[in-house]
Amino acid sequence: MLRDPSIKYRPFPPIVLPDRQWPSRTITKAPRWLSTDLRDGNQALIDPMDAEKKQRFFDLICRVGIKEIEVGFPSAGATEFDFISGLVRENRIPDDVTVQVLTQARRDLIDTTFESLRGAKTGIVHVYNAVSPAWRKIVFGMSRDEVKQIAIDAAMMLRDNAAAQPDTDWRFEYSPETFSTAEIDFSVEVCAAVMDVLRPTADRPIIFNLPATVECATPNVYADQIEYFCRNIPNRDAVIVSLHTHNDRGTGVAAAELGMMAGADRVEGCLLGNGERTGNCDLVTVAMNLYTQGVDPGLDFSDIDEVVKTVEYCTNIPVHPRTPYAGDLVFTAFSGSHQDAIKKGFAAQEAKNDTLWEVPYLPIDPADLGRSYEAVIRVNSQSGKGGVAWVLEQDKGLKLPKRMQADFSRHVQRLADESSRELNAADIWGAFVQAYRLEQPQRFALGAYDETRAPNGDRIFAGSIEVDGVQQSVSGRGNGLISSVVAAIKEGFGIDLDVSDYAEHAIGHGSGAQAAAYVECRTPDGRTIWGVGIDEDVATASVRAILSAASAVE
Ligand code: KIV
Ligand code: ZN
């Protein structure tokens, strides 16, 4: 890299718009959405989609609720043309969906493009030519007027071809390609010239799609360009201002959002941001960003995993695990402090009376995207007691008392350090079984027992306990079941435990419900031991918990 990059790169010149309004606006409604997955997205693939994949992607786009779909570039070749004309011929376009087709501004290509939609009820023909200085100078060697004339000629061809196929309700889209790097007054001038030919009205507006073909500036500059365009294009009512951002600087979504604030009506992009180079604007992110501000995007991503699966299948490109809203890891916390806060957040969310979402570290409820809570917290060597307790609760329904969480997390930490890998729910359950001596056969196996009351109200525990394969009858007396069991094991096995804490809860509901009991015990030599019992019967669970603690004493 250069010590002085200014000898090679220049800063993008700002737009002069001192009274810009967009910074103090907020987005309060969804834009019109256009998916260009089957065109811009497809053009960027190593292996462009075949007809089967295109149809699958088309169905997905319809399912999520996008009503305008750019289905391809019909003049590019037979695969494209046949897929598009097949959609029309075989009546595969839902009534509420309008397909859009792209063409360069050349007569033969425009003719083929109209031909591909012959018989369609509606269709948007999208024509483009590049307008910025670098393209004019380097690619075409043309003046501003010559470039403008290309757009005017294309508009006349659109008008005439549409008139020759009057059974279709034609709409037009014009893109001054490379808009974001062009002189803004020239972009307006070219679009105005296109309007002079096509004469749009508020009832039959033209779409002016303003691409950041290559993203070259901070997103505020794009917003300035959009606001300038909206203010200066004649007959604004007859224009749908459409955004088409790419992501070269990593701000494609931000540019689209600021562009909406600046007055645009429509957003073009791809699901999960596939597209040339660093991709097109990610429509899932823009839509879900609106959703998290309380604005209905009008799209349905409630099964985001299905979206990811289909996009990966059709594009043959894996979705990054950190992709906003959709990646495998975006609702997962590994770090202990995050896990703790999330766990508290879920508990507070459950306890409060309103539905407003307020869970630390989770900007959205994963359930809204069809994601389960299980994956929210995952355990590795960075995790803490809250995370471990969460996994146990989600997986086994066990709600460990606070101090026991700390005790168990030490066991899990040791395992995570030893194994240097993520621990799954089965690993954590294995560690729990081992830590609290729940493996079968247990050292003390509870047989039949009875609990009776003495005349003074004391409880008497009498039962059989198998120790190392040998049945033994024991009994003990105390002011409750727990103390009577503690007395019985002292009497029968010489094990002296002082119970300092006890907790129990149900696991599940209805006929399959079980009970879990936890005891914290002190031994005469000052050790703290935890015991756990699980049984269909809550009293038996507590007896088992004492036996689990007793089995830690040699
Ligand atoms: O990025 C771009 O400029 C395009 C145009 C064809 C709209 O994809
Ligand atoms: Zn593009």
Side-chain angles (χ1 to χ4, degrees):
M1 287 175 63
L2 300 170
R3 273 285 171 78
D4 176 11
S6 72
I7 63 168
K8 193 166 180 180
Y9 301 104
R10 268 172 302 168
F12 196 86
I15 305 295
V16 182
L17 196 67
D19 59 343
R20 56 178 65 78
Q21 299 297 306
W22 65 263
S24 46
R25 296 208 189 112
T26 49
I27 309 170
T28 54
K29 69 178 182 41
R32 280 166 63 160
W33 305 101
L34 172 117
S35 153
T36 185
D37 287 277
L38 299 174
R39 196 281 295 172
D40 219 356
N42 188 49
Q43 284 182 300
L45 295 178
I46 299 167
D47 299 313
M49 290 178 242
D50 59 17
E52 185 265 332
K53 286 184 170 164
K54 276 202 146 194
Q55 183 63 47
R56 223 192 248 218
F57 212 135
F58 182 81
D59 293 341
L60 172 72
I61 297 164
C62 293
R63 245 187 344 267
V64 302
I66 295 178
K67 301 298 179 203
E68 293 179 338
I69 306 176
E70 193 162 60
V71 285
F73 204 141
S75 61
T79 311
E80 292 281 282
F81 187 94
D82 293 347
F83 172 73
I84 294 161
S85 59
L87 282 178
V88 177
R89 244 192 352 266
E90 290 158 26
N91 223 357
R92 282 186 269 129
I93 305 168
D95 284 344
D96 60 350
V97 168
T98 303
V99 292
Q100 174 169 311
V101 280
L102 180 74
T103 175
Q104 282 170 331
R106 264 178 40 197
R107 179 173 297 285
D108 55 334
L109 305 183
I110 290 177
D111 290 348
T112 308
T113 303
F114 271 87
E115 195 51 42
S116 73
L117 287 187
R118 185 170 289 281
K121 288 191 203 71
T122 58
I124 303 169
V125 180
H126 174 190
V127 69
Y128 71 100
N129 67 315
V131 295
S132 74
W135 270 253
R136 293 197 308 261
K137 185 177 76 179
I138 301 164
V139 184
F140 309 122
M142 281 185 180
S143 67
R144 279 168 70 138
D145 282 349
E146 286 169 314
V147 164
K148 182 165 82 176
Q149 196 57 47
I150 294 174
I152 293 169
D153 292 345
M156 291 195 284
M157 290 176 230
L158 295 187
R159 181 194 62 197
D160 298 345
N161 280 67
Q165 276 177 240
D167 291 343
T168 300
D169 178 10
W170 296 106
R171 300 295 163 112
F172 305 118
E173 172 167 328
Y174 171 69
S175 290
E177 196 201 6
T178 63
F179 164 85
S180 63
T181 46
E183 308 90 331
I184 185 72
D185 63 323
F186 182 52
S187 299
V188 172
E189 184 185 324
V190 174
C191 289
V194 168
M195 285 178 93
D196 286 344
V197 178
L198 291 173
R199 307 204 160 274
T201 61
D203 290 340
R204 300 187 61 76
I206 187 167
I207 301 166
F208 283 136
N209 183 52
L210 307 177
T213 304
V214 180
E215 188 173 55
C216 291
T218 47
N220 59 303
V221 174
Y222 185 65
D224 280 352
Q225 291 165 325
I226 300 300
E227 183 166 332
Y228 181 100
F229 187 93
C230 289
R231 284 203 219 169
N232 289 281
I233 191 74
N235 201 2
R236 172 71 180 87
D237 283 354
V239 173
I240 308 279
V241 172
S242 177
L243 308 174
H244 180 113
T245 58
H246 282 266
N247 196 37
D248 298 83
R249 296 168 54 92
T251 55
V253 164
E257 290 180 324
L258 301 193
M260 284 191 268
M261 289 159 61
D265 311 293
R266 184 177 184 263
V267 174
E268 293 197 354
C270 293
L271 298 180
L272 305 174
N274 176 43
E276 297 281 7
R277 304 179 307 283
T278 51
N280 281 75
C281 175
D282 174 359
L283 295 186
V284 174
T285 302
V286 179
M288 294 313 301
N289 283 355
L290 284 177
Y291 184 84
T292 60
Q293 302 303 300
V295 177
D296 177 8
L299 302 181
D300 180 3
F301 292 117
S302 57
D303 188 354
I304 197 70
D305 288 342
E306 169 62 19
V307 174
V308 171
K309 208 169 80 194
T310 305
V311 170
E312 287 185 331
Y313 169 77
C314 294
T315 60
N316 219 354
I317 295 178
V319 170
H320 195 282
R322 303 272 179 217
T323 303
Y325 302 105
D328 259 0
L329 294 179
V330 297
F331 300 120
T332 300
F334 286 104
S335 117
S337 61
H338 289 210
Q339 292 177 340
D340 227 48
I342 291 172
K343 191 163 171 286
K344 285 181 182 147
F346 272 113
Q349 190 71 23
E350 224 174 273
K352 71 193 183 106
N353 288 328
D354 63 77
T355 54
L356 281 181
W357 182 251
E358 198 178 12
V359 176
Y361 298 111
L362 287 180
I364 183 172
D365 184 351
D368 289 352
L369 292 146
R371 286 277 173 84
S372 77
Y373 295 138
E374 273 147 43
V376 168
I377 290 177
R378 286 166 56 175
V379 172
N380 62 17
S381 60
Q382 302 300 306
S383 308
K385 58 182 184 340
V388 173
W390 169 271
V391 173
L392 211 51
E393 183 171 341
Q394 297 295 310
D395 186 43
K396 299 288 180 195
L398 297 182
K399 299 177 188 153
L400 308 194
K402 267 260 151 35
R403 280 197 304 278
M404 189 179 185
Q405 289 180 15
D407 183 72
F408 180 47
S409 104
R410 280 190 286 276
H411 292 269
V412 173
Q413 187 67 40
R414 209 173 309 124
L415 180 62
D417 285 336
E418 278 163 18
S419 62
S420 303
R421 63 170 173 84
E422 183 190 352
L423 301 180
N424 60 28
D427 295 322
I428 289 168
W429 176 241
F432 189 77
V433 164
Q434 199 182 22
Y436 302 108
R437 303 156 296 279
L438 302 175
E439 303 102 328
Q440 298 300 332
Q442 288 183 267
R443 183 169 160 219
F444 296 107
L446 179 64
Y449 75 90
D450 245 346
E451 190 203 2
T452 51
R453 265 181 204 275
N456 72 345
D458 274 0
R459 307 280 183 95
I460 300 170
F461 171 87
S464 104
I465 292 176
E466 193 181 299
V467 191
D468 301 330
V470 181
Q471 289 279 357
Q472 196 169 320
S473 293
V474 291
S475 67
R477 187 175 175 140
N479 57 6
L481 174 63
I482 304 262
S483 54
S484 65
V485 178
V486 167
I489 59 167
K490 186 169 182 190
E491 169 104 12
F493 310 113
I495 293 174
D496 194 0
L497 292 177
D498 177 20
V499 176
S500 54
D501 197 12
Y502 170 80
E504 66 183 36
H505 65 78
I507 309 172
H509 308 279
S511 58
Q514 289 199 302
Y518 312 92
V519 286
E520 184 183 25
C521 306
R522 297 255 146 71
T523 61
D525 59 359
R527 278 198 303 144
T528 297
I529 295 170
W530 283 93
V532 183
I534 299 171
D535 199 277
E536 285 160 14
D537 172 58
V538 62
T540 307
S542 52
V543 178
R544 291 190 189 286
I546 299 288
L547 294 181
S548 144
S551 61
V553 180
E554 291 307 319

Short mmCIF file of all heavy atoms in Angstrom, two decimals, residues 467-519:
data_model
loop_
_atom_site.label_atom_id
_atom_site.label_comp_id
_atom_site.label_asym_id
_atom_site.label_seq_id
_atom_site.Cartn_x
_atom_site.Cartn_y
_atom_site.Cartn_z
N VAL A 467 -26.47 -50.26 48.08
CA VAL A 467 -25.12 -49.68 48.05
C VAL A 467 -24.18 -50.70 47.44
O VAL A 467 -24.05 -51.80 47.95
CB VAL A 467 -24.62 -49.35 49.47
CG1 VAL A 467 -23.35 -48.51 49.39
CG2 VAL A 467 -25.68 -48.66 50.28
N ASP A 468 -23.56 -50.28 46.34
CA ASP A 468 -22.64 -51.19 45.64
C ASP A 468 -23.25 -52.57 45.47
O ASP A 468 -22.64 -53.60 45.79
CB ASP A 468 -21.30 -51.28 46.39
CG ASP A 468 -20.65 -49.90 46.52
OD1 ASP A 468 -20.88 -49.06 45.61
OD2 ASP A 468 -19.97 -49.64 47.52
N GLY A 469 -24.52 -52.62 45.07
CA GLY A 469 -25.18 -53.89 44.75
C GLY A 469 -25.80 -54.59 45.95
O GLY A 469 -26.47 -55.60 45.80
N VAL A 470 -25.60 -54.04 47.17
CA VAL A 470 -26.15 -54.72 48.36
C VAL A 470 -27.30 -53.88 48.95
O VAL A 470 -27.14 -52.69 49.21
CB VAL A 470 -25.04 -54.89 49.44
CG1 VAL A 470 -25.60 -55.60 50.67
CG2 VAL A 470 -23.84 -55.62 48.85
N GLN A 471 -28.47 -54.54 49.10
CA GLN A 471 -29.65 -53.84 49.66
C GLN A 471 -29.44 -53.60 51.15
O GLN A 471 -28.95 -54.47 51.86
CB GLN A 471 -30.89 -54.73 49.54
CG GLN A 471 -31.40 -54.92 48.14
CD GLN A 471 -32.24 -53.73 47.68
OE1 GLN A 471 -32.49 -52.80 48.44
NE2 GLN A 471 -32.64 -53.77 46.43
N GLN A 472 -29.82 -52.44 51.59
CA GLN A 472 -29.71 -52.16 53.02
C GLN A 472 -30.94 -51.37 53.47
O GLN A 472 -31.40 -50.47 52.76
CB GLN A 472 -28.44 -51.32 53.26
CG GLN A 472 -28.03 -51.31 54.70
CD GLN A 472 -26.63 -50.70 54.86
OE1 GLN A 472 -25.75 -50.96 54.03
NE2 GLN A 472 -26.44 -49.92 55.90
N SER A 473 -31.50 -51.74 54.62
CA SER A 473 -32.66 -51.00 55.13
C SER A 473 -32.16 -49.89 56.03
O SER A 473 -31.29 -50.12 56.89
CB SER A 473 -33.57 -51.93 55.93
OG SER A 473 -34.13 -52.87 55.06
N VAL A 474 -32.69 -48.70 55.83
CA VAL A 474 -32.27 -47.57 56.68
C VAL A 474 -33.52 -46.83 57.14
O VAL A 474 -34.57 -46.88 56.49
CB VAL A 474 -31.34 -46.59 55.94
CG1 VAL A 474 -29.99 -47.21 55.64
CG2 VAL A 474 -31.99 -46.09 54.67
N SER A 475 -33.39 -46.13 58.25
CA SER A 475 -34.48 -45.26 58.66
C SER A 475 -33.91 -44.07 59.41
O SER A 475 -32.80 -44.13 59.96
CB SER A 475 -35.49 -46.02 59.53
OG SER A 475 -34.89 -46.37 60.74
N GLY A 476 -34.68 -43.00 59.42
CA GLY A 476 -34.23 -41.79 60.11
C GLY A 476 -35.43 -40.91 60.42
O GLY A 476 -36.49 -41.05 59.82
N ARG A 477 -35.22 -40.00 61.36
CA ARG A 477 -36.32 -39.16 61.82
C ARG A 477 -35.89 -37.70 61.79
O ARG A 477 -34.74 -37.38 62.12
CB ARG A 477 -36.63 -39.60 63.25
CG ARG A 477 -37.82 -38.98 63.87
CD ARG A 477 -38.00 -39.65 65.24
NE ARG A 477 -39.06 -39.01 65.94
CZ ARG A 477 -39.95 -39.66 66.68
NH1 ARG A 477 -39.86 -40.97 66.81
NH2 ARG A 477 -40.91 -39.00 67.29
N GLY A 478 -36.81 -36.84 61.39
CA GLY A 478 -36.49 -35.41 61.37
C GLY A 478 -37.77 -34.60 61.27
O GLY A 478 -38.86 -35.17 61.26
N ASN A 479 -37.63 -33.25 61.18
CA ASN A 479 -38.87 -32.46 61.16
C ASN A 479 -39.44 -32.31 59.74
O ASN A 479 -40.44 -31.66 59.53
CB ASN A 479 -38.68 -31.10 61.84
CG ASN A 479 -37.55 -30.33 61.17
OD1 ASN A 479 -37.03 -30.79 60.15
ND2 ASN A 479 -37.19 -29.21 61.75
N GLY A 480 -38.78 -32.92 58.77
CA GLY A 480 -39.30 -32.92 57.40
C GLY A 480 -38.70 -34.10 56.67
O GLY A 480 -37.85 -34.83 57.22
N LEU A 481 -39.13 -34.27 55.42
CA LEU A 481 -38.63 -35.42 54.66
C LEU A 481 -37.10 -35.36 54.50
O LEU A 481 -36.40 -36.34 54.73
CB LEU A 481 -39.31 -35.48 53.28
CG LEU A 481 -38.78 -36.54 52.34
CD1 LEU A 481 -39.00 -37.95 52.90
CD2 LEU A 481 -39.43 -36.42 50.97
N ILE A 482 -36.61 -34.17 54.13
CA ILE A 482 -35.18 -34.03 53.86
C ILE A 482 -34.37 -34.40 55.11
O ILE A 482 -33.43 -35.20 55.05
CB ILE A 482 -34.84 -32.58 53.45
CG1 ILE A 482 -35.67 -32.15 52.27
CG2 ILE A 482 -33.34 -32.39 53.25
CD1 ILE A 482 -35.06 -32.24 50.94
N SER A 483 -34.78 -33.82 56.26
CA SER A 483 -33.96 -34.08 57.45
C SER A 483 -34.08 -35.54 57.87
O SER A 483 -33.12 -36.11 58.42
CB SER A 483 -34.33 -33.12 58.59
OG SER A 483 -35.71 -33.21 58.84
N SER A 484 -35.22 -36.18 57.59
CA SER A 484 -35.32 -37.60 57.97
C SER A 484 -34.42 -38.46 57.07
O SER A 484 -33.82 -39.42 57.53
CB SER A 484 -36.78 -38.08 57.93
OG SER A 484 -37.28 -38.03 56.62
N VAL A 485 -34.29 -38.09 55.80
CA VAL A 485 -33.39 -38.84 54.91
C VAL A 485 -31.94 -38.61 55.33
O VAL A 485 -31.13 -39.55 55.37
CB VAL A 485 -33.60 -38.43 53.43
CG1 VAL A 485 -32.63 -39.18 52.52
CG2 VAL A 485 -35.02 -38.70 52.99
N VAL A 486 -31.62 -37.35 55.66
CA VAL A 486 -30.26 -37.04 56.11
C VAL A 486 -29.92 -37.87 57.37
O VAL A 486 -28.82 -38.45 57.48
CB VAL A 486 -30.13 -35.52 56.40
CG1 VAL A 486 -28.86 -35.21 57.17
CG2 VAL A 486 -30.15 -34.73 55.10
N ALA A 487 -30.91 -37.97 58.27
CA ALA A 487 -30.69 -38.78 59.49
C ALA A 487 -30.50 -40.24 59.12
O ALA A 487 -29.63 -40.94 59.70
CB ALA A 487 -31.88 -38.60 60.44
N ALA A 488 -31.26 -40.73 58.14
CA ALA A 488 -31.17 -42.15 57.76
C ALA A 488 -29.80 -42.47 57.18
O ALA A 488 -29.22 -43.52 57.50
CB ALA A 488 -32.28 -42.49 56.74
N ILE A 489 -29.24 -41.59 56.33
CA ILE A 489 -27.93 -41.94 55.74
C ILE A 489 -26.79 -41.76 56.77
O ILE A 489 -25.76 -42.41 56.66
CB ILE A 489 -27.63 -41.15 54.44
CG1 ILE A 489 -27.65 -39.67 54.69
CG2 ILE A 489 -28.53 -41.55 53.30
CD1 ILE A 489 -27.07 -38.90 53.53
N LYS A 490 -27.04 -40.90 57.76
CA LYS A 490 -26.04 -40.78 58.82
C LYS A 490 -26.02 -42.07 59.65
O LYS A 490 -24.97 -42.66 59.90
CB LYS A 490 -26.35 -39.57 59.71
CG LYS A 490 -25.28 -39.31 60.73
CD LYS A 490 -25.47 -37.98 61.40
CE LYS A 490 -24.33 -37.74 62.38
NZ LYS A 490 -24.59 -36.60 63.21
N GLU A 491 -27.24 -42.50 59.96
CA GLU A 491 -27.40 -43.72 60.75
C GLU A 491 -26.91 -44.95 59.98
O GLU A 491 -26.15 -45.78 60.48
CB GLU A 491 -28.89 -43.85 61.08
CG GLU A 491 -29.31 -45.15 61.66
CD GLU A 491 -29.54 -45.02 63.16
OE1 GLU A 491 -29.59 -43.88 63.66
OE2 GLU A 491 -29.64 -46.07 63.82
N GLY A 492 -27.34 -45.04 58.72
CA GLY A 492 -27.06 -46.26 57.94
C GLY A 492 -25.65 -46.32 57.39
O GLY A 492 -25.04 -47.39 57.33
N PHE A 493 -25.10 -45.14 56.97
CA PHE A 493 -23.81 -45.17 56.26
C PHE A 493 -22.75 -44.30 56.91
O PHE A 493 -21.62 -44.19 56.40
CB PHE A 493 -23.99 -44.73 54.80
CG PHE A 493 -25.11 -45.45 54.10
CD1 PHE A 493 -26.25 -44.77 53.70
CD2 PHE A 493 -25.02 -46.82 53.87
CE1 PHE A 493 -27.28 -45.44 53.08
CE2 PHE A 493 -26.06 -47.50 53.23
CZ PHE A 493 -27.19 -46.82 52.83
N GLY A 494 -23.12 -43.63 57.97
CA GLY A 494 -22.15 -42.78 58.67
C GLY A 494 -21.79 -41.53 57.88
O GLY A 494 -20.73 -40.94 58.08
N ILE A 495 -22.68 -41.12 56.98
CA ILE A 495 -22.38 -39.91 56.18
C ILE A 495 -23.12 -38.74 56.80
O ILE A 495 -24.36 -38.75 56.91
CB ILE A 495 -22.80 -40.12 54.71
CG1 ILE A 495 -21.91 -41.18 54.07
CG2 ILE A 495 -22.74 -38.81 53.93
CD1 ILE A 495 -22.31 -41.57 52.67
N ASP A 496 -22.34 -37.71 57.13
CA ASP A 496 -22.90 -36.58 57.86
C ASP A 496 -23.04 -35.37 56.92
O ASP A 496 -22.04 -34.81 56.48
CB ASP A 496 -21.95 -36.26 59.03
CG ASP A 496 -22.60 -35.34 60.04
OD1 ASP A 496 -23.77 -34.97 59.82
OD2 ASP A 496 -21.93 -35.01 61.04
N LEU A 497 -24.28 -35.01 56.62
CA LEU A 497 -24.50 -33.86 55.72
C LEU A 497 -25.36 -32.82 56.42
O LEU A 497 -26.32 -33.18 57.12
CB LEU A 497 -25.23 -34.30 54.45
CG LEU A 497 -24.48 -35.22 53.47
CD1 LEU A 497 -25.39 -35.61 52.33
CD2 LEU A 497 -23.22 -34.54 52.95
N ASP A 498 -25.01 -31.56 56.19
CA ASP A 498 -25.86 -30.48 56.72
C ASP A 498 -26.45 -29.75 55.50
O ASP A 498 -25.70 -29.17 54.70
CB ASP A 498 -24.96 -29.56 57.55
CG ASP A 498 -25.72 -28.36 58.07
OD1 ASP A 498 -26.96 -28.45 58.12
OD2 ASP A 498 -25.07 -27.34 58.39
N VAL A 499 -27.78 -29.83 55.33
CA VAL A 499 -28.39 -29.24 54.14
C VAL A 499 -28.56 -27.73 54.35
O VAL A 499 -29.26 -27.30 55.26
CB VAL A 499 -29.75 -29.89 53.83
CG1 VAL A 499 -30.43 -29.21 52.65
CG2 VAL A 499 -29.56 -31.38 53.53
N SER A 500 -27.90 -26.94 53.51
CA SER A 500 -27.97 -25.47 53.69
C SER A 500 -28.90 -24.81 52.67
O SER A 500 -29.28 -23.66 52.83
CB SER A 500 -26.57 -24.86 53.59
OG SER A 500 -25.97 -25.25 52.38
N ASP A 501 -29.24 -25.53 51.61
CA ASP A 501 -30.18 -24.92 50.64
C ASP A 501 -30.91 -26.03 49.90
O ASP A 501 -30.35 -27.11 49.68
CB ASP A 501 -29.41 -24.04 49.64
CG ASP A 501 -30.34 -23.09 48.91
OD1 ASP A 501 -31.51 -22.96 49.34
OD2 ASP A 501 -29.90 -22.47 47.92
N TYR A 502 -32.14 -25.74 49.56
CA TYR A 502 -32.94 -26.74 48.85
C TYR A 502 -33.81 -25.99 47.83
O TYR A 502 -34.31 -24.91 48.10
CB TYR A 502 -33.84 -27.49 49.85
CG TYR A 502 -34.86 -28.36 49.14
CD1 TYR A 502 -34.50 -29.61 48.65
CD2 TYR A 502 -36.17 -27.94 48.96
CE1 TYR A 502 -35.41 -30.42 47.99
CE2 TYR A 502 -37.10 -28.74 48.30
CZ TYR A 502 -36.71 -29.98 47.82
OH TYR A 502 -37.62 -30.77 47.15
N ALA A 503 -33.93 -26.56 46.63
CA ALA A 503 -34.83 -25.95 45.63
C ALA A 503 -35.44 -27.08 44.80
O ALA A 503 -34.84 -28.14 44.64
CB ALA A 503 -34.05 -25.00 44.72
N GLU A 504 -36.64 -26.82 44.29
CA GLU A 504 -37.28 -27.83 43.43
C GLU A 504 -38.14 -27.11 42.40
O GLU A 504 -38.52 -25.95 42.58
CB GLU A 504 -38.16 -28.77 44.27
CG GLU A 504 -39.34 -28.03 44.88
CD GLU A 504 -40.22 -28.89 45.78
OE1 GLU A 504 -39.69 -29.76 46.49
OE2 GLU A 504 -41.44 -28.65 45.79
N HIS A 505 -38.39 -27.77 41.28
CA HIS A 505 -39.32 -27.21 40.28
C HIS A 505 -39.82 -28.34 39.39
O HIS A 505 -39.22 -29.42 39.35
CB HIS A 505 -38.62 -26.12 39.44
CG HIS A 505 -37.49 -26.63 38.59
ND1 HIS A 505 -37.68 -27.29 37.41
CD2 HIS A 505 -36.14 -26.60 38.79
CE1 HIS A 505 -36.50 -27.62 36.89
NE2 HIS A 505 -35.54 -27.23 37.72
N ALA A 506 -40.91 -28.06 38.72
CA ALA A 506 -41.45 -29.05 37.78
C ALA A 506 -40.69 -28.95 36.46
O ALA A 506 -40.22 -27.87 36.08
CB ALA A 506 -42.93 -28.79 37.57
N ILE A 507 -40.58 -30.06 35.75
CA ILE A 507 -40.02 -30.05 34.39
C ILE A 507 -41.16 -30.45 33.48
O ILE A 507 -41.64 -31.58 33.54
CB ILE A 507 -38.87 -31.07 34.22
CG1 ILE A 507 -37.82 -30.92 35.33
CG2 ILE A 507 -38.24 -30.96 32.85
CD1 ILE A 507 -36.76 -32.03 35.31
N GLY A 508 -41.59 -29.52 32.65
CA GLY A 508 -42.68 -29.81 31.71
C GLY A 508 -44.04 -29.74 32.39
O GLY A 508 -44.15 -29.38 33.57
N HIS A 509 -45.07 -30.02 31.58
CA HIS A 509 -46.44 -29.93 32.09
C HIS A 509 -47.16 -31.25 31.84
O HIS A 509 -46.72 -32.07 31.03
CB HIS A 509 -47.23 -28.85 31.33
CG HIS A 509 -46.53 -27.54 31.28
ND1 HIS A 509 -46.57 -26.65 32.32
CD2 HIS A 509 -45.76 -26.98 30.31
CE1 HIS A 509 -45.85 -25.58 31.98
NE2 HIS A 509 -45.35 -25.76 30.77
N GLY A 510 -48.28 -31.41 32.50
CA GLY A 510 -49.20 -32.51 32.19
C GLY A 510 -48.69 -33.86 32.67
O GLY A 510 -47.86 -33.95 33.58
N SER A 511 -49.16 -34.91 32.00
CA SER A 511 -48.92 -36.26 32.52
C SER A 511 -47.43 -36.65 32.43
O SER A 511 -46.96 -37.46 33.21
CB SER A 511 -49.77 -37.27 31.75
OG SER A 511 -49.46 -37.17 30.38
N GLY A 512 -46.70 -36.06 31.50
CA GLY A 512 -45.28 -36.43 31.36
C GLY A 512 -44.37 -35.59 32.26
O GLY A 512 -43.14 -35.71 32.19
N ALA A 513 -44.95 -34.73 33.11
CA ALA A 513 -44.12 -33.81 33.89
C ALA A 513 -43.26 -34.57 34.90
O ALA A 513 -43.64 -35.63 35.38
CB ALA A 513 -45.01 -32.81 34.62
N GLN A 514 -42.10 -34.02 35.19
CA GLN A 514 -41.22 -34.58 36.22
C GLN A 514 -40.88 -33.47 37.20
O GLN A 514 -41.26 -32.31 37.00
CB GLN A 514 -39.94 -35.09 35.57
CG GLN A 514 -40.15 -36.34 34.73
CD GLN A 514 -38.84 -37.05 34.50
OE1 GLN A 514 -37.92 -36.47 33.95
NE2 GLN A 514 -38.74 -38.29 34.94
N ALA A 515 -40.16 -33.85 38.24
CA ALA A 515 -39.73 -32.83 39.21
C ALA A 515 -38.21 -32.91 39.33
O ALA A 515 -37.63 -33.99 39.22
CB ALA A 515 -40.37 -33.08 40.56
N ALA A 516 -37.59 -31.75 39.54
CA ALA A 516 -36.15 -31.72 39.80
C ALA A 516 -35.95 -31.12 41.18
O ALA A 516 -36.63 -30.15 41.55
CB ALA A 516 -35.44 -30.87 38.76
N ALA A 517 -35.04 -31.70 41.96
CA ALA A 517 -34.73 -31.18 43.29
C ALA A 517 -33.22 -31.00 43.40
O ALA A 517 -32.45 -31.78 42.83
CB ALA A 517 -35.23 -32.13 44.37
N TYR A 518 -32.83 -29.92 44.08
CA TYR A 518 -31.40 -29.61 44.22
C TYR A 518 -31.14 -29.37 45.71
O TYR A 518 -31.90 -28.65 46.36
CB TYR A 518 -31.05 -28.32 43.47
CG TYR A 518 -31.59 -28.29 42.05
CD1 TYR A 518 -32.83 -27.73 41.78
CD2 TYR A 518 -30.85 -28.82 41.00
CE1 TYR A 518 -33.33 -27.70 40.49
CE2 TYR A 518 -31.35 -28.80 39.70
CZ TYR A 518 -32.59 -28.24 39.45
OH TYR A 518 -33.08 -28.22 38.18
N VAL A 519 -30.06 -29.98 46.24
CA VAL A 519 -29.68 -29.69 47.63
C VAL A 519 -28.23 -29.23 47.68
O VAL A 519 -27.37 -29.75 46.97
CB VAL A 519 -29.83 -30.92 48.56
CG1 VAL A 519 -31.29 -31.20 48.86
CG2 VAL A 519 -29.14 -32.14 47.99
#
